Amino acid sequence: MLAHTAPLFAAAGDHPALGWTDKEVLLYVLSAVGGTLFVLVPVAWGLVNLLNRRADRRAARLEVENRTLRRQVAEREDGGPVEELRRKVAEAAQHTGHLEATLAQVREQAAGFERAAKGLEGERDELTTQLAEAQDSLAAEQRRVRKAVHKDGTTWTEKVLASAPEFKPLDPDGRRTPVISVLNLKGGVGKTTVTANLGAALARRGWRVLLVDLDLQGSLTGLFLPAAEQEDRHRARRLAGDFLEASFDGEYPNLPDDFAVPVLPGATCSLVPTTDEMAYAETNLTVRWFLKDARRDPRFLLRKELQLKRVTNQFDVVLLDCPPLINISCVNALAASDYVLVPVMPSKQATDRVTVLLERLKEFHDNLNTDLKVMGFFANRTKESDLTTDERNRLVALRDKCRDTWAAAPCFDAFIRQSAEVRRVEDERRPLGPGDELYPAFVRLAGEVEGRLPMFCRPGGRPTAAPVEAAP
Ligand SMILES: Nc1ncnc2c1ncn2[C@@H]1O[C@H](COP(=O)(O)OP(=O)(O)O)[C@@H](O)[C@H]1O
Ligand SMILES: [Mg+2]
């Protein structure tokens, strides 16, 4: 402060005189400073104003620049190329996302197609294998059919496999129920008439008789059952043909309990009926046998059943009414029988045919059933109440013919003469019985049949029945 003030004193040439009081010095300094400030303050204000104006101008310029820049930025933000690019990039990214999703779907579908193609390939291979197998088995079946056709009727005597049910012969300690086939390869000789009336006569003599109608004409059934009942049994599949088919299919049908119908009031005589539907069973089983459709042998269906205790405990004798030809029913009958009973008409034509019958029976005896025996021949439909000389001579010739072959068998003394009574009782749907004119002839025949059976088979010679075995 004193340094500043010194020049002022000098300039004024007016410096404080020595000996001033302090108060005078202080006044002097203050007046010097005030003078200086009086000069300096306006200068400072001028400077400040100048600087302020310059700052305002500069601020206005900056404001203008700032607005310009903001406008430019706003323009760019609105639609500038960067934004355009950004939008395009965003769109491209979205598009890429879509494409990726589509690609993933396509890949998935392709994988599905691949899997399906593999599956189809597997199926194709499997089908090719099945086709090859089917072709093989078809070829084998064609060979079998050709072989069967080539055999020309002898198919039925084809070798019996070890698996076939064994024939258990009549035995006092075993099977005591004889099975008798009433057979002749000629029609109209009286097989059915004899089966029905012999059966009824035996039943009235105390035998428990089971009759089986094996002829697809169903004549034996027609003798006992009215058409409505036949129809019922057909619908219920309770006919002989149904039994054979079910048995072949391994269903273990029960012949005596489910297929036999009692047909003679006051006696035990039941019938397994047949209608012409047997023709279907015949064809069906024959074709299946030729084609070896099942391992089972359709020739032994009756043998298996008729030797079961459920049959032998309920019946003392079984009579099988055979058809006049060798078909599956007839083969079943011969494979199951102990005896063949042959009704003949004592005409030349009829007795000549017996030779053929004996030849066929021998084939069956040798190939299917070595226990098969010819029980005998007997005359039916003779002219008079006694045999004529011609008829007698024919029967003697027949007996001699049999004696010369394997089937040595006597002729029965009993014979049945031709009588309208047979038709009459057929119309009444009953067998001959006491009071009918021809009945005694059947009783005689029944007596002779009884005499040709082992003693132990007769009803009186039997032990009390063993319990019936359960179905397998
Ligand atoms: N002794 C007889 N007297 C009269 N007619 C008979 C006699 N035996 C059978 N007939 C008749 O002959 C026809 C054929 O008999 P049938 O027993 O059916 O023979 P098959 O069963 O051998 O074909 C039947 O119409 C039956 O009435
Ligand atoms: Mg008949």
Side-chain angles (χ1 to χ4, degrees):
M1 186 75 175
L2 286 175
H4 286 297
T5 56
L8 285 174
F9 290 120
D14 202 2
H15 56 83
L18 291 175
W20 286 6
T21 63
D22 289 345
K23 213 169 177 179
E24 288 165 339
V25 172
L26 183 60
L27 275 173
Y28 176 77
V29 169
L30 285 172
S31 63
V33 169
T36 306
L37 287 174
F38 186 79
V39 176
L40 284 177
V41 166
V43 173
W45 275 114
L47 265 173
V48 167
N49 281 337
L50 186 69
L51 287 173
N52 272 342
R53 274 198 304 274
R54 284 181 68 180
D56 287 344
R57 275 199 305 274
R58 195 170 178 143
R61 243 191 349 262
L62 283 173
E63 178 65 28
V64 170
E65 278 176 18
N66 192 14
R67 269 205 300 275
T68 310
L69 277 172
R70 258 199 246 119
R71 201 172 53 244
Q72 283 178 348
V73 167
E75 275 171 14
R76 287 191 179 168
E77 272 177 3
D78 267 359
V82 174
E83 184 54 28
E84 180 70 26
L85 273 176
R86 219 180 267 150
R87 225 179 13 246
K88 281 188 178 162
V89 167
E91 277 173 17
Q94 203 177 5
H95 194 56
T96 310
H98 285 318
L99 283 177
E100 269 170 10
T102 312
L103 186 64
Q105 274 178 4
V106 169
R107 276 212 192 103
E108 206 175 300
Q109 281 176 352
F113 285 142
E114 210 171 297
R115 280 196 300 277
K118 273 194 190 129
L120 285 175
E121 261 173 36
E123 272 179 38
R124 187 201 56 200
D125 292 349
E126 206 174 302
L127 284 174
T128 310
T129 316
Q130 283 177 2
L131 184 66
E133 283 171 8
Q135 277 169 340
D136 282 355
S137 77
L138 183 65
E141 280 168 7
Q142 281 172 338
R143 277 197 303 278
R144 275 187 218 117
V145 172
R146 252 182 253 124
K147 210 168 115 194
V149 171
H150 186 67
K151 283 192 154 196
D152 209 13
T154 57
T155 316
W156 299 118
T157 55
E158 198 173 284
K159 193 167 170 290
V160 177
L161 298 178
S163 56
E166 198 190 334
F167 188 90
K168 286 177 260 159
L170 290 171
D171 174 0
D173 300 319
R175 187 170 65 90
R176 293 157 172 257
T177 299
V179 180
I180 305 172
S181 278
V182 182
L183 174 66
N184 191 325
L185 293 181
K186 194 161 164 39
V189 296
K191 296 181 287 295
T192 301
T193 308
V194 167
T195 308
N197 292 300
L198 173 64
L202 284 169
R204 290 195 178 102
R205 287 165 75 89
W207 290 69
R208 295 171 301 166
V209 180
L210 177 65
L211 307 174
V212 184
D213 189 354
L214 290 176
D215 187 355
L216 52 85
Q217 295 172 77
S219 313
L220 182 65
T221 303
L223 279 179
F224 290 103
L225 300 184
E229 194 169 341
Q230 292 180 32
E231 184 54 33
D232 286 351
R233 299 196 71 82
H234 168 62
R235 269 201 299 274
R237 297 193 56 79
R238 287 287 180 265
L239 298 169
D242 300 316
F243 167 82
L244 293 177
E245 284 193 280
S247 176
F248 186 67
D249 287 334
E251 292 167 15
Y252 304 107
N254 182 326
L255 189 75
D257 294 346
D258 296 334
F259 291 83
V261 204
V263 286
L264 196 63
T268 305
C269 182
S270 293
L271 166 73
V272 177
T274 285
T275 65
D276 52 9
E277 64 79 49
M278 174 67 109
Y280 300 113
E282 281 284 347
T283 311
N284 185 352
L285 289 175
T286 306
V287 170
R288 291 173 75 182
W289 160 244
F290 282 177
L291 297 179
K292 298 280 184 285
D293 180 46
R295 272 181 227 290
R296 274 174 227 99
D297 192 328
R299 297 175 294 179
F300 301 101
L301 304 171
L302 271 185
R303 173 188 286 185
K304 196 170 150 223
E305 183 72 12
L306 295 180
Q307 300 209 341
L308 292 177
K309 281 206 167 65
R310 65 185 179 206
V311 173
T312 59
N313 281 354
Q314 289 188 62
F315 296 101
D316 302 317
V317 65
V318 180
L319 297 181
L320 306 176
D321 182 22
C322 294
L325 73 160
I326 306 286
N327 60 7
I328 200 138
S329 306
C330 187
V331 171
N332 261 279
L334 293 174
S337 289
D338 301 283
Y339 299 98
V340 180
L341 180 60
V342 189
V344 289
M345 277 168 54
S347 67
K348 180 168 178 351
Q349 198 200 15
T351 47
D352 284 352
R353 288 277 297 159
V354 171
T355 317
V356 180
L357 173 68
L358 288 174
E359 281 166 10
R360 300 311 301 272
L361 284 179
K362 177 159 172 43
E363 283 167 15
F364 279 97
H365 170 272
D366 294 352
N367 294 294
L368 282 193
N369 181 3
T370 49
D371 289 286
L372 186 68
K373 294 174 271 298
V374 178
M375 182 182 261
F377 299 85
F378 76 94
N380 181 32
R381 304 180 80 162
T382 61
K383 286 199 178 108
E384 319 264 334
S385 53
D386 208 351
L387 291 174
T388 63
T389 314
D390 255 11
E391 286 169 346
R392 205 174 289 279
N393 289 342
R394 284 210 183 91
L395 286 178
V396 169
L398 189 60
R399 190 193 56 206
D400 292 345
K401 202 184 270 178
C402 295
R403 202 170 33 213
D404 297 341
T405 69
W406 69 279
C411 286
F412 282 79
D413 290 334
F415 60 90
I416 317 288
R417 79 178 167 81
Q418 172 88 18
S419 163
E421 196 177 47
V422 171
R423 276 280 162 76
R424 186 165 53 76
V425 295
E426 277 174 18
D427 292 345
E428 291 168 17
R429 233 181 264 288
R430 67 172 179 90
L432 293 156
D436 293 319
E437 204 193 323
L438 276 188
Y439 182 63
F442 279 102
V443 173
R444 267 200 302 281
L445 179 64
E448 271 190 77
V449 167
E450 211 176 83
R452 290 175 193 208
L453 292 172
M455 278 298 270
F456 62 80
C457 293
R458 299 182 195 173
R462 286 172 159 255
T464 46
V468 177
E469 68 217 4

